Each structure stands twice: as C-alpha cells, then as structure tokens.
C-alpha cells in the first residue's frame, strides 16, 4: 500500500503516462459526481464517489487487473492489509469483477483520510474497519503499461 499525503505529491510522482493523467481527470470531475454512480474514462479507468463508512469485512479484497486508488475528501478510516502470499484464498478470483477474497492475519494497519491518496497494489489485499464515515473518490486504473496505446 502506498500512502501519499496530498494530491500535489500524487501529480508529481505519477505525471507520466496516459492512465495517470486520466486519474487526475477523474479527480477534476469531482464537482459533477453523485455518490455511488460509476463513471469511466476510456477502457483503462473507472471511478465513483463514495460517502459513508466503508463496509467492514472479515476478508481481504484483492485485484489483479486494476489498482485501486482512494482519494480521501472528508473523514478518516482504518485500512488493514497483508501480502496475498501471506493469506489464504476464501473465494477464488472472479475475472468479471476483478476480485478475490482472502483470509488471514493483518500485516499492517493504518489510519488514512483528509486529502490523502492511497494506492492498493496488486500483490497485497486490503480491508476496512468500517469505523468512520468518509467521503472519497475510488478510482480503478488498469495495471497494464504503455504497450497499450490508449492506456
């Protein structure tokens, strides 16, 4: 899990590549978003605004084709994560949802929120404690690199 303290830092680090530019484009569209409605930019990125506490689960969620980026606009919450290789599969990977559900012990726990961006990498799985209401933009961006011209 990568935690960045603000949007400026994200823009400075992830300024190369079309998919990262599309992340900024999604963030710039925040004034036009309604909670829970999914949007997309091309075929490499989807995003939605979430308001309220993130659902607490006992299982960890992992992805393979997309990175999850959470941009916190208001509030704070606790996220827990571990390496997928440290966890056991509870529900096998589903290609249609790009999700797998895993069980095991928490490796790290962190409180995040208020202006931070969190990038969940594909070799890790995460879950939320669901302990506080938040307002955040959830972006799913493809892991593919520059060999796809539209990414």
């Amino acid at each position: 899990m990568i935690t960045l303290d603000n949007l400026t830092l994200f823009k400075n680090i992830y300024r190369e590549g079309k998919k990262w530019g599309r992340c900024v484009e999604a963030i710039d569209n925040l004034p036009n978003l309604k909670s829970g409605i999914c949007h997309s930019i091309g075929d490499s990125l989807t995003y939605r605004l979430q308001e309220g506490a993130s659902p607490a689960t006992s299982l960890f969620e992992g992805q393979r084709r997309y990175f999850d980026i959470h941009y916190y606009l208001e509030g704070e919450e606790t996220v827990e994560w571990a390496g997928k290789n440290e966890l056991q599969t509870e529900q096998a990977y589903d290609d249609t949802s790009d999700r797998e559900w895993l069980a095991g012990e928490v490796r790290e726990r962190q409180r995040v929120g208020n202006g931070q961006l969190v990038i969940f990498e594909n070799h890790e799985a995460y879950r939320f404690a669901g302990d506080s209401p938040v307002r955040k933009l959830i972006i799913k961006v493809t892991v593919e690199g520059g060999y796809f011209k539209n990414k």
Side-chain angles (χ1 to χ4, degrees), residues 6 9 20 25-26 29 31 38 44 47 63 68 71 76 92 97 100 114 121 124 129 138 144:
N6 57 60
L9 189 56
W20 301 116
E25 186 179 335
N29 194 35
C38 287
S44 61
Y47 62 104
Q63 287 86 28
D68 272 11
Y71 176 37
E76 294 182 340
S97 67
E100 57 191 325
N114 293 325
E121 298 181 279
E124 297 173 321
I138 300 172
E144 282 94 8

Side-chain angles (χ1 to χ4, degrees), residues 80-94:
E80 301 174 331
W81 72 97
K84 288 182 185 179
N85 61 347
E86 303 167 17
L87 302 170
Q88 299 78 45
T89 301
E90 286 291 318
Q91 187 174 8
Y93 178 75
D94 180 351

Side-chain angles (χ1 to χ4, degrees), residues 115-128:
Q116 291 182 309
L117 289 98
V118 178
I119 302 171
F120 297 102
E121 298 181 279
N122 289 45
H123 66 279
E124 297 173 321
Y126 65 90
R127 67 183 179 195
F128 297 98

